[in-house]
Amino acid sequence: MSWISPMTPVALLLVSTSLVPTFLVTQASPGLNVTFDPRTMTLRWPCQENTTNVRCILIPWEKGPIMSRGGECSCTFMQESLHRGLTLEVQATVNQRPVQEKLLYTNPGADGTAVQNFSCSIYNAGFMNCTWVKGRAAPDDVQYFMYIKNKRTLLEMECPCYLQESGIHTGCHLSNLSLLSVKSYVLVNGSSPAMGIQFFDSIFLTKGIEKLDPPANVTVHCNVSHCHVRWHQPRTWHRFTHQDFQYQLDIQRQNIDPGNLNPLINISGNSENKYHFPSPEPRHKHTVQIRVADTRRPQWSAWSRPVEFGSEDMTATILHLHLLLVALGTLICALMLLLLLKRFVGTCDLFPTIPQVRDKVSDNHQQTVWEDFVRGPGKGEDEEVLTVEEVSNPFGGHV
């Protein structure tokens, strides 16, 4: 079966037979003989002359009434979920007499036989999986079939690839989403030789079921004092703007106790996909991861792959820094000593030594000692000075 082709006659027959309406009719005379086609959401009645003021009312389960202006012979509503049942009403004037007719639409089949826990999700920007479980009251020979309808073009198709469990269809995989629109309608009906099977249907916004991929191309660049993180917004099937995204950054130091983890950082989609933070050198080795969510529903994507930055061996880095600081300190001290020495030598040349103030006590002591050794005139006893004169010996020698 082609993905974008309309449903085959067999598929249409399955849908039509599984959506046979049952109705409770209350009418005034003359009646309109209204019928309801759930596949096209259309109310019809035989055309009569002088039918005016036609108004159709649809009341879904647990929702308010939906009004629609009809023509002379029919009126059509937008697609609604039908599996919970609804009430339809036609009001008109025929031959100047008011006519009112009501229909109560119910889900045919045994209670509890429809699929349960139905959900769909779009992932990897181009695939969709829908899953469900067998109804609690459904027999073991039940088989389910899923159909998708584009609400804008009204094209329909059956699931091209079923997921199975014990031979029963429990899901559908779609690898081509070209049939999907902003709003899509999904129907899952069933069949069994043992009993009638109720159907399940749902209308979903494709933007609301898309599971976002993590941000791509995460990079970190650091300078001496700061680090800068950049990333690309995730690839999506539906068109998103920057304002539709919100991000969380997880920046953690490696090999740290769980109790000392840094808190997550929330970033708006208007941040131009970048974040900078102070991180002076030397810095320990860190990792950064980013995840993203739609601002309308905080369902976070998986984390991006960790990106590392910083130094792995901080001991060597700190040792090198310590040695550098010691060498720098030694050089500064040497320069200071040299400057002090130069200043001292210059001071001695410019300013000779100033004589000390004479100490009277010290001077008197030195004078007394000196006078003990040097006798001046008039002190002590006079000494006789002998003069020795060399005389020549007449006999040939010295005396």
Side-chain angles (χ1 to χ4, degrees):
M1 178 181 293
S2 174
W3 168 253
I4 61 173
S5 63
M7 297 175 66
T8 63
V10 175
L12 291 174
L13 179 61
L14 286 172
V15 177
S16 299
T17 55
S18 59
L19 294 180
V20 176
T22 62
F23 35 84
L24 176 65
V25 178
T26 304
Q27 65 181 48
S29 181
L32 292 176
N33 297 321
V34 177
T35 60
F36 175 58
D37 183 356
R39 192 173 69 86
T40 61
M41 296 293 295
T42 302
L43 285 168
R44 290 189 176 91
W45 54 89
C47 292
Q48 300 183 32
E49 293 182 0
N50 299 324
T51 301
T52 59
N53 300 326
V54 177
R55 187 174 69 164
C56 300
I57 303 173
L58 183 146
I59 307 176
W61 186 79
E62 289 189 347
K63 289 179 65 175
I66 300 173
M67 306 292 184
S68 175
R69 290 288 180 181
E72 293 184 358
C73 306
S74 67
C75 58
T76 302
F77 295 94
M78 297 294 293
Q79 185 71 60
E80 292 288 336
S81 177
L82 303 173
H83 70 276
R84 296 182 184 274
L86 49 81
T87 301
L88 300 120
E89 181 177 342
V90 179
Q91 301 173 357
T93 301
V94 179
N95 295 323
Q96 298 183 353
R97 297 183 62 180
V99 176
Q100 181 181 9
E101 189 167 332
K102 288 185 178 180
L103 292 83
L104 179 63
Y105 180 83
T106 61
N107 191 344
D111 291 340
T113 57
V115 298
Q116 296 178 333
N117 299 335
F118 181 88
S119 65
C120 294
S121 63
I122 297 174
Y123 64 97
N124 290 348
F127 302 94
M128 184 173 81
N129 277 354
C130 295
T131 59
W132 59 82
V133 297
K134 182 173 76 72
R136 64 182 185 279
D140 293 337
D141 62 356
V142 69
Q143 190 58 280
Y144 296 106
F145 305 91
M146 190 182 99
Y147 303 90
I148 301 175
K149 180 168 69 175
N150 186 306
K151 290 193 65 177
R152 182 174 58 83
T153 64
L154 301 181
L155 291 176
E156 301 172 342
M157 64 159 294
E158 184 183 357
C159 171
C161 180
Y162 284 107
L163 309 176
Q164 300 188 32
E165 184 177 337
S166 301
I168 300 176
H169 297 163
T170 57
C172 175
H173 173 72
L174 303 176
S175 58
N176 188 329
L177 308 185
S178 58
L179 187 67
L180 296 182
S181 61
V182 176
K183 280 187 177 181
S184 295
Y185 174 77
V186 175
L187 165 72
V188 181
N189 60 16
S191 63
S192 170
M195 64 178 68
I197 306 298
Q198 289 186 329
F199 69 90
F200 172 86
D201 63 345
S202 177
I203 298 174
F204 58 84
L205 295 172
T206 52
K207 199 171 187 177
I209 66 170
E210 184 162 8
K211 185 177 181 180
L212 299 177
D213 292 334
N217 298 330
V218 180
T219 59
V220 182
H221 297 285
C222 299
N223 55 27
V224 177
S225 60
H226 287 74
C227 288
H228 302 264
V229 185
R230 293 182 179 272
W231 62 90
H232 291 170
Q233 70 181 46
R235 187 171 57 96
T236 58
W237 177 79
H238 201 281
R239 184 176 180 179
F240 282 78
T241 64
H242 288 291
Q243 291 79 6
D244 294 327
F245 293 114
Q246 56 181 332
Y247 300 94
Q248 278 190 341
L249 275 67
D250 185 19
I251 303 175
Q252 302 295 340
R253 174 180 166 183
Q254 289 190 352
N255 302 322
I256 195 171
D257 295 335
N260 296 325
L261 294 178
N262 295 325
L264 299 179
I265 303 169
N266 294 310
I267 302 295
S268 168
N270 295 323
S271 64
E272 299 181 356
N273 299 343
K274 61 183 179 181
Y275 176 73
H276 65 276
F277 58 97
S279 179
E281 291 183 345
R283 61 180 61 89
H284 290 272
K285 193 167 188 179
H286 288 68
T287 59
V288 57
Q289 293 178 283
I290 308 177
R291 62 181 182 178
V292 62
D294 188 341
T295 55
R296 288 169 293 273
R297 54 186 190 98
Q299 182 178 351
W300 294 101
S301 70
W303 289 103
S304 64
R305 297 179 61 181
V307 176
E308 297 180 348
F309 65 95
S311 176
E312 185 173 3
D313 187 5
M314 284 298 296
T315 304
T317 304
I318 294 175
L319 179 60
H320 293 161
L321 180 62
H322 179 71
L323 294 177
L324 180 62
L325 292 176
V326 170
L328 183 61
T330 303
L331 179 61
I332 292 175
C333 292
L335 291 175
M336 291 180 65
L337 289 175
L338 182 61
L339 291 174
L340 290 174
L341 181 61
K342 184 176 181 181
R343 182 176 180 183
F344 176 75
V345 173
T347 303
C348 292
D349 293 339
L350 294 175
F351 304 99
T353 303
I354 300 174
Q356 298 292 328
V357 179
R358 188 169 184 178
D359 188 346
K360 295 181 178 181
V361 176
S362 300
D363 292 346
N364 292 336
H365 175 71
Q366 292 177 359
Q367 186 176 3
T368 303
V369 174
W370 177 253
E371 288 178 350
D372 290 340
F373 291 93
V374 181
R375 299 284 184 175
K379 293 183 180 181
E381 297 180 356
D382 294 335
E383 294 180 359
E384 293 183 0
V385 178
L386 299 180
T387 300
V388 180
E389 182 179 357
E390 185 179 355
V391 180
S392 299
N393 188 354
F395 300 99
H398 296 285
V399 180

